[in-house]
Amino acid sequence: MNKILLAFLTCFLSVLAFTVNAAEPRQEPTDQERARTVYIFHHPVVMLQAKFGLTTPEERVLRIRNTLRNFTQEDVREPLKIVSVTRYNQQGRLIVMNGKPIMLLTQADLDEGDDLTLDQAAQRVLTRMDAQRAALHDQYDTGWLALSVVKTAAGLLVLFLFGYGAWRSWRWVRRFYRRRIVENRSWVPQSWRRYIGAIEIRLYALLMILLGLAGFYAWLSWSFSLFPWTRIWGTSLGDWSIRVLQQIALSIVSALPGLMIVLIIFLITAFILKLLKMVLNQVEAGRLQLPGIHPETVGATRKLISVVVWLFALSAAYPFLPGANSLAFKGISVFFGLMLTLGSAGVMNHAMSGLVLIYSRALRKGDVIRVADNEGLVSEIGMLATKIITRENYVVTVPNAVVVSGKITNLSAHESERGINLTIGATIGYDTPWRQVHAMLEMAARRAKCTDPSCPPLVRQLELMDWYIAYELQVRLMPGQSLAAARDELHSHIQDVFNEFNVQIMSPNFVMQPEGSVMVAKENWYAAPAAPPAGEK
């Protein structure tokens, strides 16, 4: 038992230096002063600063530690006493246990800042040492240690039962929400319940995990406090948790004024955006006119203004955010700045091209356009790309930079309420009268149901080529008519009309000059269905 006691005394009646210049320990020690402080069970008892001859305060501390190692269990049972002595030509107080000296405290060990007499300082040291001696005597008792082990095991069992109960309660909550979803008995809409229920289940699981960690922390601190060699750890855990809670509370209270300013800034920003939205809605509806803003550009203008206003509000509110000057915020700012610098070149090119498309009003949603090899209906004009629905019902996404850099052919009529202008090309040989070709193409256009009867068809001769003539038929389609379906119907009627009048749709090519001239006799100029003008034979 004596060997065990000596081992405990060696390990835990440690003599360490503490940041003090007097007999009373200070709260913030330096490395030099730490070697002058006596610790028992990690509690500061006294610091020594007097030098006797060649013996420094640090050497006095080492001697006290060696003295403590030689105490027996019988010595620890006896109370501590203070004996007045005169040593080194000065008054001192000697602290003894069972008649054996432990340490000497002299007037030179005191600090004027403590405002203590030698007797008062010695009494404080005696009180601290006697408290640790009593704790050592009680807690190193076999019965006490056995009871501490039982308490620790009982606390662990309670913690395990709490964890098991938390797990069972989580399973019950999960079944409860699933049953509510199946039975549709929740006041939350069914379409939302599936998602909200999953979130609530996970939040409950997170709450149980946090409570379990808090319980484990409390059990660990309590268990450490039951044993003398770990009591300081239990005290440290408790003090640390209290300090953390205090810091959190102080941080929250100190951050409230800044958060109030941030809230006021955001409320003012939301109010300004609400007013701008009301004005822009009037412009979009055509009830208000503003210079440089058109109804079709209101959507992009609203987004741009919202981004600018929110960025300005964020810049104004940033200094008032909690931790705005911390290294974490600065690191995040540098990270996002680096990402924006590296990835903004291509994105900004497409974004600026999208703004050019919107504000130049080269095309609008619902227009039929031709861009490069893509022809179709514009379904969306985004900030980065334009989506086109082709005749195959494919959705083609064209980057805005590609759209702006190329040629855009808008097939829609200038007036939004009118249909699309459609052109059909055909090449016919020189042996067919052009007046007949004109009449047949116009007849095919009038037969088509997709064309607008209020707008007469128009036929042009685009080019006199080597072996044939290039004709073009232009018609206006009915509003909402599909371009691909209209082109298919017109092609069908053109073939039917040409077949009715025995005219072949063919573009001849000659290897050598024909024997006869390829031309149309004057009497065949107005071959059916063409008719000569009134008064002309």
Side-chain angles (χ1 to χ4, degrees):
M1 184 63 184
N2 291 337
K3 294 182 179 179
I4 297 177
L5 180 62
L6 290 175
F8 286 150
L9 287 171
T10 302
C11 296
F12 301 107
L13 298 182
S14 309
V15 182
L16 302 174
F18 197 56
T19 320
V20 235
N21 293 326
E24 285 298 302
R26 296 294 186 266
Q27 298 300 320
E28 295 179 357
T30 62
D31 292 338
Q32 182 180 3
E33 296 166 336
R34 188 168 290 140
R36 300 180 178 182
T37 302
V38 176
Y39 266 86
I40 298 180
F41 291 133
H42 305 279
H43 290 277
V45 175
V46 65
M47 77 326 243
L48 305 175
Q49 61 178 5
K51 181 178 179 181
F52 301 139
L54 298 178
T55 304
T56 62
E58 291 80 5
E59 291 177 343
R60 292 174 61 194
V61 168
L62 294 177
R63 290 181 179 180
I64 294 172
R65 183 176 62 185
N66 293 330
T67 301
L68 291 174
R69 289 177 178 174
N70 296 324
F71 283 121
T72 63
Q73 186 176 5
E74 290 76 12
D75 295 331
V76 175
R77 291 176 180 174
E78 298 296 329
L80 295 168
K81 297 180 180 179
I82 299 177
V83 179
S84 299
V85 296
T86 302
R87 298 286 177 85
Y88 309 104
N89 298 323
Q90 56 181 317
Q91 291 293 324
R93 299 296 181 266
L94 183 64
I95 299 177
V96 298
M97 181 168 59
N98 197 20
K100 298 179 180 180
I102 298 177
M103 69 173 65
L104 175 66
L105 188 66
T106 65
Q107 190 69 32
D109 289 316
L110 303 183
D111 185 9
E112 294 180 358
D114 292 333
D115 196 18
L116 295 175
T117 64
L118 182 60
D119 291 331
Q120 290 174 341
Q123 188 61 41
R124 290 192 178 188
V125 173
L126 178 67
T127 301
R128 297 184 187 121
M129 294 187 66
D130 194 62
Q132 301 303 323
R133 183 198 62 80
L136 176 67
H137 177 267
D138 294 338
Q139 296 188 25
Y140 279 122
D141 182 69
T142 305
W144 177 277
L145 294 177
L147 181 60
S148 299
V149 171
V150 172
K151 290 181 179 179
T152 302
L156 183 61
L157 179 61
V158 171
L159 183 64
F160 174 77
L161 293 177
F162 173 80
Y164 179 74
W167 177 70
R168 291 295 301 270
S169 66
W170 173 76
R171 292 187 60 186
W172 180 85
V173 170
R174 185 175 60 177
R175 290 195 302 267
F176 172 77
Y177 278 112
R178 288 179 178 177
R179 185 169 63 252
R180 295 292 293 270
I181 292 173
V182 173
E183 298 175 357
N184 193 16
R185 294 191 304 171
S186 176
W187 59 271
V188 179
Q190 183 72 7
S191 57
W192 293 6
R193 169 49 61 192
R194 297 181 180 274
Y195 304 102
I196 296 178
I199 295 175
E200 291 172 342
I201 292 172
R202 284 167 173 78
L203 288 177
Y204 183 81
L206 179 61
L207 177 62
M208 292 297 103
I209 292 174
L210 293 178
L211 290 178
L213 292 176
F216 176 76
Y217 184 89
W219 170 82
L220 193 64
S221 177
W222 176 69
S223 299
F224 283 159
S225 65
L226 295 177
F227 300 94
W229 53 89
T230 58
R231 185 196 302 171
I232 186 62
W233 296 345
T235 305
S236 300
L237 288 176
D239 294 342
W240 178 83
S241 59
I242 294 175
R243 287 196 303 269
V244 169
L245 292 177
Q246 290 177 346
Q247 292 176 359
I248 293 175
L250 291 176
S251 300
I252 293 175
V253 172
S254 61
L256 287 178
L259 291 177
M260 290 298 298
I261 296 176
V262 171
L263 179 60
I264 292 173
I265 292 174
F266 284 165
L267 289 177
I268 294 175
T269 303
F271 179 74
I272 293 174
L273 291 178
K274 188 69 174 180
L275 292 179
L276 290 175
K277 182 179 179 181
M278 293 174 59
V279 174
L280 292 177
N281 287 341
Q282 296 297 319
V283 175
E284 188 175 17
R287 291 187 290 269
L288 179 65
Q289 292 184 356
L290 294 177
I293 301 180
H294 304 277
E296 56 269 19
T297 62
V298 166
T301 304
R302 184 187 297 115
K303 293 179 181 178
L304 287 176
I305 294 177
S306 299
V307 170
V308 172
V309 172
W310 278 116
L311 286 177
F312 179 78
L314 184 60
S315 301
Y318 180 82
F320 301 99
L321 292 175
N325 296 324
S326 64
L327 295 178
F329 264 72
K330 295 178 181 178
I332 293 174
S333 301
V334 172
F335 176 71
F336 278 105
L338 181 62
M339 289 183 59
L340 185 62
T341 302
L342 296 177
S344 63
V347 174
M348 290 303 297
N349 184 23
H350 293 305
M352 295 306 296
S353 299
L355 294 178
V356 170
L357 285 177
I358 293 173
Y359 285 98
S360 65
R361 296 184 293 166
L363 49 91
R364 296 173 297 180
K365 182 179 179 180
D367 287 350
V368 179
I369 65 170
R370 184 183 296 121
V371 178
D373 297 332
N374 302 301
E375 179 183 274
L377 180 70
V378 178
S379 62
E380 180 183 349
I381 304 176
M383 292 298 296
L384 301 179
T386 300
K387 295 185 182 296
I388 302 173
I389 301 177
T390 64
R391 63 177 180 272
E392 298 93 348
N393 204 25
Y394 297 157
V395 178
V396 179
T397 302
V398 184
N400 286 334
V402 176
V403 177
V404 172
S405 62
K407 182 179 70 173
I408 304 174
T409 303
N410 197 330
L411 304 179
S412 300
H414 181 67
E415 298 83 0
S416 59
E417 68 275 3
R418 305 176 71 177
I420 302 173
N421 290 327
L422 175 62
T423 57
I424 300 293
T427 54
I428 308 298
Y430 285 97
D431 55 346
T432 303
W434 63 267
R435 295 176 180 85
Q436 184 183 22
V437 174
H438 278 223
M440 288 188 294
L441 290 175
E442 291 172 356
M443 180 181 294
R446 286 190 293 269
R447 288 184 180 181
K449 297 180 180 179
C450 61
T451 59
D452 188 355
S454 63
C455 181
L458 178 62
V459 180
R460 303 183 183 92
Q461 298 184 40
L462 297 181
E463 188 175 357
L464 301 178
M465 306 182 72
D466 291 340
W467 299 300
Y468 45 80
I469 303 172
Y471 296 91
E472 181 185 73
L473 170 64
Q474 178 178 328
V475 297
R476 178 169 294 169
L477 303 181
M478 297 293 292
Q481 183 65 44
S482 171
L483 190 65
R487 186 180 286 115
D488 178 72
E489 185 181 5
L490 280 173
H491 284 165
S492 301
H493 286 296
I494 289 173
Q495 293 180 69
D496 291 342
V497 172
F498 273 67
N499 289 333
E500 290 176 10
F501 292 95
N502 297 320
V503 176
Q504 62 180 6
I505 304 175
M506 183 177 292
S507 304
N509 288 274
F510 301 108
V511 177
M512 58 182 299
Q513 179 66 31
E515 294 182 358
S517 300
V518 180
M519 57 182 297
V520 178
K522 186 174 182 178
E523 59 271 15
N524 295 327
W525 282 5
Y526 295 99
E536 182 178 344
K537 297 182 179 179

